[in-house]
Amino acid sequence: DARVTQTPRHKVTEMGQEVTMRCQPILGHNTVFWYRQTMMQGLELLAYFRNRAPLDDSGMPKDRFSAEMPDATLATLKIQPSEPRDSAVYFCASPRGGGYTFGSGTRLTVV
Amino acid sequence: QKEVEQNSGPLSVPEGAIASLNCTYSDRVSQSFFWYRQYSGKSPELIMSIYSNGDKEDGRFTAQLNKASQYVSLLIRDSQPSDSATYLCAVNRMGGSEKLVFGKGMKLTVNP
């Protein structure tokens, strides 16, 4: 399957709550990228994994964000505790055809 | 200087006109260049990739790359209202699975 699947599509949560976003990469692809998109900053790379190991998570606030890839079919991004400034669309992506295929994204609103 | 810069826009063109979108990048070792289209509320989708200097044409789209000037552009001929979207320029150092750095995007509106 050449699709990247993300859940949930939308999430509204209160400040301080834990948020978990999930991504199923393209089947058989071993690299996953997490991006965050806001109007002000555009698309920013948060982290990426290859063969389930983190290669670069320098774009991610370490005190509250964590990313994992427990197996080849699942990548997760957690925010604990969430803050209003985390409101954004979070995309995961798999490499394909030289570029990326993006998932549909998770639109997160923290109130 | 940001790694990948696009004109802030927005850009508005009449239907049938040529839309020209520009992008500059700062890292001279960049090797792969991409244009993505993003409709409002949707995820980015790849529309063009270019790896060597010169022009690459695909239907109504032409990507142009000038590595000496660190400049990449996208031309859309015979613009259609369905081309109205935000266009994102992306660059990476190496092919394959290395990370892409994106510009902030340029919003294009094609007026009927």
Side-chain angles (χ1 to χ4, degrees):
Chain A
D1 190 349
R3 290 180 301 172
V4 177
T5 304
Q6 287 187 250
T7 56
R9 292 291 306 273
H10 303 273
K11 176 72 175 180
V12 180
T13 191
E14 292 185 347
M15 182 173 62
Q17 296 298 304
E18 178 177 299
V19 176
T20 298
M21 291 169 269
R22 293 177 174 80
C23 170
Q24 182 177 343
I26 293 175
L27 193 63
H29 285 241
N30 62 359
T31 305
V32 171
F33 297 83
W34 282 105
Y35 280 84
R36 174 173 63 185
Q37 188 174 39
T38 61
M39 289 292 292
M40 290 297 294
Q41 300 299 327
L43 268 170
E44 302 174 284
L45 179 67
L46 296 175
Y48 78 104
F49 291 77
R50 182 178 299 140
N51 292 326
R52 301 170 53 192
L55 289 188
D56 184 349
D57 59 2
S58 59
M60 202 164 65
K62 303 293 191 305
D63 56 338
R64 299 183 301 108
F65 284 60
S66 62
E68 294 180 340
M69 196 169 181
D71 63 58
T73 64
L74 177 66
T76 62
L77 180 66
K78 291 186 180 181
I79 308 174
Q80 169 63 24
S82 57
E83 298 181 0
R85 59 179 167 153
D86 301 329
S87 298
V89 181
Y90 291 80
F91 290 104
C92 72
S94 285
R96 186 163 183 257
Y100 294 170
T101 295
F102 282 82
S104 299
T106 295
R107 181 174 295 275
L108 174 65
T109 303
V110 183
V111 298
Chain B
Q1 180 188 8
K2 282 204 168 283
E3 289 190 61
V4 180
E5 293 203 60
Q6 295 182 245
N7 292 344
S8 57
L11 176 64
S12 181
V13 301
E15 184 174 355
I18 296 175
S20 178
L21 304 156
N22 303 316
C23 174
T24 58
Y25 59 94
S26 61
D27 191 343
R28 284 196 171 273
V29 301
S30 298
Q31 295 189 9
S32 304
F33 307 87
F34 305 90
W35 284 98
Y36 283 77
R37 177 177 62 199
Q38 186 175 25
Y39 292 113
S40 180
K42 302 295 185 181
S43 57
E45 57 176 327
L46 179 65
I47 55 171
M48 288 288 285
S49 59
I50 187 166
Y51 305 99
S52 54
N53 281 328
D55 295 359
K56 179 182 178 182
E57 187 174 317
D58 183 359
R60 295 185 296 109
F61 297 95
T62 299
Q64 300 174 316
L65 175 61
N66 183 326
K67 289 187 177 181
S69 300
Q70 296 176 241
Y71 174 92
V72 58
S73 66
L74 179 69
L75 299 178
I76 306 174
R77 291 182 301 280
D78 188 24
S79 296
Q80 301 297 308
S82 59
D83 296 326
S84 298
T86 295
Y87 290 80
L88 300 160
C89 173
V91 173
N92 77 359
R93 291 187 171 191
M94 299 168 58
S97 300
E98 294 300 318
K99 60 184 181 182
L100 287 183
V101 179
F102 286 83
K104 285 192 176 182
M106 163 80 88
K107 185 174 183 180
L108 170 67
T109 300
V110 181
N111 300 303

